[in-house]
């Protein structure tokens, strides 16, 4: 009898100890490393607005009961801590910072980064580290078309979707287009953007010819040579994939010389300069926001809350990098809480979170996000564009068109360039 009682006591003590460990784990803050530009020319228009969105979401999540549709406190009741890292410095430095987040800061998850070059460097390191990493902004389609990842997700659109939509918009607005030019930064994002845009126009407007494409170095800052060449090209319109401080510098240098009027730009990342430089943009400038973000975001309860809360707290309109950061946090929270429910556990493992994240559909501040590409790791959304008009001295978007996901996204498993060249067949 005594041995049986001792065995029962041991089982009870072990169960109690396990419950104590589980409770401690449940109450331990979930540490999230966030990588964004906090210094340099990309910080003002991109990195800091993204950080502000992270601050807003983390604060309201931890209070609980505030964010429409995401009222549960923290991530599934677990409080959140954030460790910020400055993305400035290039891919090698960002990889070092990423490794420090994992090995020294002991983060449970990483949300970052902005530059496509940094994303391409970080993704394989995340896989090697076996750390769930949500790419919140970078756009190169090469991430999931050139490799397969288990731990890496991207909750925003990619270059193919944004530039196919841009080409479709040009085909609608300029059906008789004869010549066009481009200005694209000379690295992954700019190269992908120009390739997808030009290959799409070959299908949509086969008579249109390339006048020139300028490929300045990322962070060049001075664009006199490019502006002169683009003016001399006499193109009817111009595709422009510059972003951040580069885009601002280009607009400030091109506008006084009349380039933006002579060749109306379709600016893929244009949302970020509407508030800051809208008065410098002539009527006819075409604007994108890398998905249904910023001025294109739907008037849902969630977006209305986000937009108002952001403006009240930071005295600025949230740009698309803010929307992208918010969407990444919402996607991660959605997957975490879906894993809790699916696997009936308060503290889901990384394996369980990944299983819940793959092919997940969740509501974001930019509408519904469908993780249906990249074997469930790449987001799909529709992509809008609009044309700028000054109305009562205020930049206003007109002729807005929304292009559905199946019009801008290749089928899963098909490379973007192959899908485009095949005439967008599904």
């Amino acid at each position: 009898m005594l041995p049986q009682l001792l065995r029962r006591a041991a089982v009870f003590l072990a169960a109690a100890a396990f419950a104590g460990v589980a409770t401690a784990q449940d109450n331990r803050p979930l540490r999230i490393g966030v990588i964004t530009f906090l210094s340099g020319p990309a910080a003002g228009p991109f990195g800091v607005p993204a950080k502000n969105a992270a601050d807003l979401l983390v604060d309201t999540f931890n209070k609980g009961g505030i964010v429409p549709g995401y009222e549960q406190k923290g991530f599934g009741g677990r409080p959140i801590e954030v460790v910020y890292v400055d993305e400035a410095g290039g891919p090698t430095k960002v990889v070092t910072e990423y490794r420090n987040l994992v090995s020294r800061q002991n983060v449970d998850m990483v949300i970052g980064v902005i530059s496509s070059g940094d994303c391409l460097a970080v993704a394989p390191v995340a896989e090697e580290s076996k750390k769930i990493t949500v790419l919140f902004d970078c756009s190169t389609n090469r991430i999931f078309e050139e490799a397969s990842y288990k731990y890496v997700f991207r909750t925003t659109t990619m270059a193919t979707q944004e530039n196919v939509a841009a080409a479709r918009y040009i085909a609608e607005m300029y059906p008789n287009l004869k010549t066009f030019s481009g200005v694209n930064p000379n690295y992954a994002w700019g190269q992908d953007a120009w390739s997808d845009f030009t290959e799409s126009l070959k299908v949509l407007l086969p008579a249109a010819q390339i006048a020139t494409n300028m490929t300045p170095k990322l962070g060049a800052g001075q664009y006199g040579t490019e502006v002169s060449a683009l003016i001399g090209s006499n193109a009817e319109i111009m595709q422009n994939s510059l972003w951040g401080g580069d885009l601002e510098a280009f607009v400030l240098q091109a506008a006084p010389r009349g380039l933006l009027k002579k060749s109306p730009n379709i600016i893929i990342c244009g949302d970020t300069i509407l508030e800051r430089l809208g008065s410098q943009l002539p009527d006819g400038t075409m604007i994108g926001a890398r998905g249904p973000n910023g001025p294109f975001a739907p008037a849902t309860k969630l977006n209305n809350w986000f937009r108002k809360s952001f403006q009240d707290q930071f005295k600025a309109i949230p740009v698309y990098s803010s929307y992208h950061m918010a969407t990444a946090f919402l996607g991660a929270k959605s997957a975490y809480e879906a894993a809790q429910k699916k696997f009936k556990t308060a503290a889901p493992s990384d394996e369980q979170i990944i299983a819940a994240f793959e092919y997940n559909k969740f509501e974001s501040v930019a509408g519904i996000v469908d993780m249906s590409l990249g074997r469930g790791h790449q987001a799909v959304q529709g992509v809008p564009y609009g044309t700028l008009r000054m109305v009562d001295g205020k930049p206003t978007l007109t002729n807005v068109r929304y292009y559905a996901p199946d019009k801008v996204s290749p089928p899963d498993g098909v490379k973007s360039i192959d899908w485009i060249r095949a005439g967008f067949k599904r």
Side-chain angles (χ1 to χ4, degrees):
M1 185 68 177
L2 183 59
Q4 186 177 8
L5 289 173
L6 289 173
R7 283 196 298 271
R8 289 178 178 175
V11 170
F12 175 79
L13 290 172
F18 178 80
V21 171
T23 301
Q25 288 177 340
D26 295 348
N27 292 330
R28 180 178 65 85
L30 184 78
R31 288 174 62 80
I32 300 177
V34 175
I35 305 173
T36 184
F37 285 102
L38 302 177
S39 64
F46 265 74
V48 172
K51 178 184 182 295
N52 290 343
D55 287 341
L56 172 62
L57 266 294
V58 170
D59 180 57
T60 49
F61 283 159
N62 283 339
K63 290 176 181 175
I66 297 174
V67 183
Y70 292 87
E71 288 83 3
Q72 191 171 6
K73 189 174 182 178
F75 273 30
R78 188 174 174 184
I80 308 167
E81 284 184 358
V82 174
V83 180
Y84 286 107
V85 167
D86 188 356
E87 189 177 341
T92 300
K93 184 252 188 185
V94 172
V95 165
T96 299
E97 296 285 5
Y98 182 94
R99 292 190 187 279
N100 287 339
L101 283 172
V102 173
S103 62
R104 297 182 182 180
Q105 297 289 345
N106 297 314
V107 297
D108 299 291
M109 180 184 298
V110 176
I111 295 177
V113 292
I114 288 175
S115 169
S116 289
D118 294 339
C119 270
L120 288 168
V122 162
V125 178
E127 198 73 4
E128 171 195 315
S129 304
K130 297 183 178 181
K131 187 64 60 178
I132 294 175
T133 298
V134 184
L135 306 177
F136 85 94
D137 185 78
C138 69
S139 189
T140 177
N141 50 281
R142 291 165 52 191
I143 295 293
F144 296 110
E145 291 188 355
E146 295 183 354
S148 178
Y149 293 106
K150 176 179 179 180
Y151 292 88
V152 180
F153 294 83
R154 179 165 52 193
T155 50
T156 53
T157 54
M158 61 181 181
T160 298
Q161 295 155 335
E162 296 145 13
N163 284 279
V164 170
R168 289 191 180 279
Y169 192 76
I170 290 296
E172 280 196 61
M173 299 298 114
Y174 293 85
N176 299 312
L177 183 71
K178 295 296 185 292
T179 60
F180 65 97
S181 290
V183 56
N184 295 274
N186 192 16
Y187 79 116
W189 153 245
Q191 294 159 5
D192 294 342
W194 181 242
S195 175
D196 291 340
F197 182 79
T198 54
E199 291 298 321
S200 295
L201 277 190
K202 286 179 184 178
V203 176
L204 298 168
L205 296 175
Q209 299 295 311
I210 298 171
T212 191
N213 177 41
M214 305 306 296
T215 57
K217 181 181 177 181
L218 184 66
Q222 296 297 318
Y223 298 96
T225 300
E226 287 79 8
V227 170
S228 294
L230 290 164
I231 290 173
S233 75
N234 293 315
E236 293 172 66
I237 64 100
M238 188 171 77
Q239 177 261 13
N240 182 338
S241 71
L242 297 174
W243 58 277
D246 286 356
L247 177 58
E248 294 192 347
F250 179 82
V251 167
L252 289 171
Q253 294 167 45
R257 296 180 62 183
L259 173 60
L260 305 184
K261 286 185 179 180
K262 182 176 182 179
S263 297
N265 280 212
I266 183 160
I267 307 178
I268 315 302
C269 306
D271 162 56
T272 61
I273 59 172
L274 279 179
E275 184 178 15
R276 296 162 67 95
L277 294 177
S279 62
Q280 300 285 332
L281 301 174
D283 283 1
T285 302
M286 293 159 282
I287 297 291
R290 290 207 42 222
N293 304 294
F296 302 107
T300 60
K301 188 175 181 181
L302 177 58
N303 179 43
N304 291 341
W305 167 82
F306 174 70
R307 190 174 180 85
K308 183 178 186 305
S309 298
F310 191 100
Q311 288 182 265
D312 288 347
Q313 184 166 338
F314 303 109
K315 311 306 177 189
I317 296 172
V319 295
Y320 79 71
S321 64
S322 311
Y323 275 81
H324 281 179
M325 181 67 81
T327 294
F329 268 93
L330 292 167
K333 178 176 169 68
S334 171
Y336 190 97
E337 292 171 2
Q340 286 180 315
K341 184 177 180 180
K342 180 177 180 179
F343 297 102
K344 299 179 174 57
T345 176
S349 66
D350 283 355
E351 295 282 339
Q352 292 169 334
I353 296 169
I354 289 168
F357 216 149
E358 291 178 338
Y359 297 102
N360 187 25
K361 282 187 179 182
F362 64 94
E363 185 184 5
S364 80
V365 290
I368 299 299
V369 175
D370 184 358
M371 302 295 295
S372 62
L373 287 182
R375 299 180 181 179
H377 290 245
Q378 167 64 53
V380 170
Q381 284 187 289
V383 178
Y385 279 87
T387 299
L388 185 71
R389 303 288 180 198
M390 294 301 291
V391 178
D392 297 327
K394 180 180 178 181
T396 304
L397 291 175
T398 63
N399 294 328
V400 174
R401 301 287 190 275
Y402 285 79
Y403 298 97
D406 66 334
K407 297 296 184 183
V408 297
S409 303
D412 198 15
V414 177
K415 285 193 174 182
S416 297
I417 197 67
D418 295 335
W419 172 68
I420 294 169
R421 287 173 177 169
F424 312 112
K425 293 179 181 178
R426 306 196 67 81

